[in-house]
Amino acid sequence: MPQIPVYNKGQGTTVDLATGSLSPQASVQAFTAPGRATENFANNAQQIAFNFGQAEKKAQGDAASSDIQSKFLEEANNKILTSQTTDTETAKNEINGLVNKYTNKIAVDHPNLTRSQIRGITNNLKELGVRAGTQHRRQSFARGRIVESKNNDQLILKFRDTLKTLSKDNPVYQANIRGVKKIYEQAELNGSNKGLTHPTFKSFEKAVLSDEVFLKVNTGDITGAENLVKSSTIIDDEQKFKLLRTLRSEATVKQNELYNQTIENIDQEDFTTNDVKLITDKLELNQPFSHELSSGKTVSFSPESIGTGNKLKLINFLNKKAKQTVEKDANQATALINNAPFTDTKTFSLIASESYGGLEDGIAQKS
């Protein structure tokens, strides 16, 4: 016989709810679940609002940090580029002053920042300050070395000029050499040897040698100049060869200048045959000398300064001058005799003797 269906055994129809099924005999959780869902939603909303607040705070802090750091870097870079300080301690203090300046401005310019945000930005500024300070000190040190290098160069050149006036055996000469050497040693250690006219002490020694060599050339001591080059321990054989070649060329120019100057000095003087003979004998000794002419004037010669070739030219020039003097004297004497009233032989002999200095002279006899 068919049975009547029993629905939940008389317990009613089961109802499905969003929070679970609600059976005819629902548990207590079925009634408390909707409340918990509402509570969780509220909590989530609060968390979201908090997170938004935190994100906003962080954004404000990041913006403030970027603004402050950007302004600090701009001023620090400008300070580094325009500062003329050559002292590293001053450079350090300049950057530290900027760090303090911007640290004190954080809370004033951005009052909404938290203490932790201010501490973070302060730490960032200090880190930037360390980097900027290092760069500023490095560049200040470099500027200092440039200034010191210029001072060194001026001092070294003054030493060189002083050495030109001293002999090598002079104690002041040796003291100056030691002083210059010390300057080079210290400059090499602290980096202030850049841009020197003579980059190294050895190049300075070469310059001093060149001064000594060409000083002798200018005074006509060519042999002394060549001996300086040949005996030098500062330059090698190849450099000696080049310097000697240059020296000979310079010597020739200087010898010609001195020869021309000698000719110019004596060109207006009268030289007798006897003057020329005495001068020629002295020229062969190759030493400087002075000679009193028959006219009473004194002339000076420096045969070693004009060179052998010019010395021979000088002798030829003097012989021509002597010939001109004899001819001039003969013309003057003849004119005197021709214009004199010769009343007798005795008077003629007396005038001729006074005019020519003695009748034993061949020209006098001819006249």
Side-chain angles (χ1 to χ4, degrees), residues 72 91-101 129-130 133 137:
F72 169 81
K92 175 183 176 182
N93 292 335
E94 286 180 348
I95 297 300
N96 286 343
L98 290 180
V99 172
N100 293 333
K101 170 185 174 180
V130 171
R137 289 198 301 274

Side-chain angles (χ1 to χ4, degrees), residues 254-300:
K254 189 61 181 180
Q255 287 171 345
N256 291 337
E257 289 178 357
L258 292 175
Y259 170 75
N260 292 331
Q261 183 178 340
T262 301
I263 295 299
E264 183 178 350
N265 292 337
I266 66 175
D267 190 35
Q268 302 303 317
E269 305 298 336
D270 292 331
F271 291 82
T272 66
T273 303
N274 189 53
D275 287 330
V276 174
K277 182 180 182 305
L278 294 174
I279 291 173
T280 301
D281 291 341
K282 292 178 181 179
L283 286 174
E284 294 303 324
L285 299 176
N286 215 37
Q287 295 293 329
F289 67 92
S290 296
H291 174 77
E292 185 177 349
L293 299 173
S294 301
S295 63
K297 293 186 177 181
T298 300
V299 291
S300 299

